[in-house]
Amino acid sequence: MSPPPGPIPSLETIRALLATRVIGATLHVHDEVDSTNRLAVDLAQAGTPDGTVVVAESQTAGRGRQGRQWFSPSGGNLYLSVILTGTNSPGIMTWIPLLASVAVVRAIQEVTGLSTRVKWPNDVLAYRDGHGRKVAGILAEATGGDPNDIRAIVVGIGINANMPLESFPEDLSPIATSLLIETEHPVDRIRLLATLLLEFEHLYAHLRTHGTAGIRESYLPLSDTLGKQVRIELVGGGQTEGTAEAIALDGALCLRAGDGTVVEIRAGDVVHLR
Ligand code: BT5
């Protein structure tokens, strides 16, 4: 495998490759930050325009969901946050990470040819030898505090692009992977970024014009969870098991329990059982 390419290119180089009109029209590129999401939340609160993007070469405190961490070394991955201020309808929050996961799957497919799938709600997995390994993670956060009065949504995306296996910490190497590991070729990160933002822009425009139905339609064939027997580890403790049967109109996962009842899950961690 080739060594990962060098540091993230300049703002001008990235801008020259972007074909988007809204997403990335305002662009911040940093070498090292604590978290692009943290920075993006601050920018959103200061009134940055819809579609502002923050990109960093590395993060010292990359965030996952529920206070978890995102391993974010320098040397060839993508860490970015997109700030959305143009949609604040109640219930939209569940769809934004799903939209982002569709954009990630499409961009990876287009740039590397690798097919990936989505573990509900938004873990992007690459499959090899019957095992799915996480190649990208998404974290959507709302600003404003009140779920009925969302001012902005910050969508953080981390993609392991050119990270070799030996760079993963021990606890991640069995469950995580990178595009380099899966395809055995280094990926042009900036092309990946530009493609991702373009896919994101198309889906976002569609969402704003036509609502969530189209996003749901795009998401369903990419879901690796539907039809599977799963265990859901619920936010705040507890767990439930059943068959992942459908995605509800608001993006919730519908789970059919052993007794035939259907439960709708809006937040939790899915473990695929079979
Ligand atoms: C996520 O959380 O998957 C959301 C990750 C979002 C990261 C982006 S990077 C840019 C932006 N700025 C931020 O600060 N964050 C966003 P969750 O589903 O909770 O998964 C976290 C779990 O994934 C961890 O507990 C580890 O098990 C695993 N993990 C951590 N780093 C990883 C990595 N680089 N690759 C694959 N898995 C990882």
Side-chain angles (χ1 to χ4, degrees), residues 35-37 59 63-65 68-71 134 137 160 176:
S35 151
T36 57
N37 263 37
Q59 302 183 112
R63 299 178 185 171
R65 293 177 302 145
R68 290 186 288 242
Q69 291 183 349
W70 187 254
F71 178 59
K134 188 159 169 173
N160 300 325

Side-chain angles (χ1 to χ4, degrees), residues 17-20 189-199:
L17 285 172
L18 291 188
T20 50
R189 267 191 303 170
I190 301 314
R191 198 175 146 227
L192 182 64
L193 173 66
T195 309
L196 171 62
L197 296 186
L198 191 59
E199 289 293 349

Side-chain angles (χ1 to χ4, degrees), residues 67-252:
R68 290 186 288 242
Q69 291 183 349
W70 187 254
F71 178 59
S72 313
S74 63
N77 294 327
L78 271 184
Y79 314 108
L80 65 135
S81 299
V82 182
I83 301 163
L84 304 176
T85 60
T87 178
N88 56 4
S89 50
I92 207 73
M93 196 51 201
T94 335
W95 279 105
I96 294 293
L98 277 64
L99 177 158
S101 64
V102 173
V104 169
V105 169
R106 287 184 177 172
I108 290 176
Q109 172 83 51
E110 205 175 313
V111 174
T112 71
L114 181 73
S115 294
T116 52
R117 294 177 69 76
V118 187
K119 183 162 79 114
W120 186 90
N122 54 341
D123 278 358
V124 178
L125 305 181
Y127 277 84
R128 189 167 24 92
D129 312 326
H131 292 288
R133 297 173 182 85
K134 188 159 169 173
V135 71
I138 293 156
L139 171 68
E141 300 181 84
T143 67
D146 177 354
N148 295 314
D149 180 24
I150 293 171
R151 300 286 160 80
I153 300 172
V154 166
V155 194
I157 302 174
I159 305 181
N160 300 325
N162 289 314
M163 187 149 66
L165 189 58
E166 56 275 17
S167 297
F168 283 93
E170 225 170 85
D171 59 325
L172 288 184
S173 45
I175 56 165
T177 189
S178 70
L179 299 175
L180 174 71
I181 297 168
E182 297 303 315
T183 64
E184 299 186 0
H185 291 289
V187 56
D188 178 341
R189 267 191 303 170
I190 301 314
R191 198 175 146 227
L192 182 64
L193 173 66
T195 309
L196 171 62
L197 296 186
L198 191 59
E199 289 293 349
F200 198 112
E201 178 159 293
H202 290 154
L203 290 159
Y204 184 50
H206 195 281
L207 175 76
R208 291 188 66 186
T209 319
H210 303 289
T212 56
I215 307 299
R216 186 161 170 267
E217 230 167 80
S218 307
Y219 180 82
L220 291 179
L222 305 179
S223 170
D224 192 43
T225 300
L226 289 179
K228 286 201 166 137
Q229 187 69 19
V230 297
R231 182 174 69 240
I232 315 274
E233 290 163 1
L234 299 163
V235 174
Q239 56 181 46
T240 179
E241 261 187 48
T243 309
E245 205 170 65
I247 305 288
L249 287 175
D250 71 348

